[in-house]
Amino acid sequence: MLTAEDFAILDDKYVRKDNCNDRHVAQEKEITEIIVQQTKMSTQIGLLVKICAFTAGGIGTLLIGAIGSLILK
């Protein structure tokens, strides 16, 4: 039969069901928060890429126009 000393040893090695469930819930909350942050960053990066592409397209058009006008003169 198990004694109180045996249970003390088991408590150090194993986690009770409620403690385990609490840890899983906390872990799921952290993972959800990380996913939300990643989604926000992805949206912001996508917006920055679009802005940079628009700017680069405008600058490229101006450069091509300037070079074309120099060649035609």
Side-chain angles (χ1 to χ4, degrees):
M1 186 157 208
L2 294 174
T3 62
E5 187 177 300
D6 293 332
F7 283 116
I9 292 171
L10 289 176
D11 283 343
D12 291 338
K13 292 183 181 180
Y14 299 101
V15 180
R16 295 182 191 269
K17 183 181 99 174
D18 293 336
N19 293 342
C20 185
N21 289 339
D22 292 343
R23 287 182 187 176
H24 281 284
V25 168
Q27 193 72 24
E28 287 176 11
K29 286 181 183 178
E30 289 177 19
I31 291 171
T32 302
E33 185 177 324
I34 290 170
I35 290 171
V36 168
Q37 289 174 355
Q38 286 178 340
T39 304
K40 286 179 182 178
M41 285 188 279
S42 176
T43 302
Q44 291 173 346
I45 289 172
L47 182 62
L48 287 173
V49 167
K50 289 177 184 176
I51 290 171
C52 289
F54 179 76
T55 305
I59 291 172
T61 303
L62 289 175
L63 285 175
I64 291 172
I67 292 171
S69 68
L70 286 174
I71 291 173
L72 294 176
K73 282 187 178 182

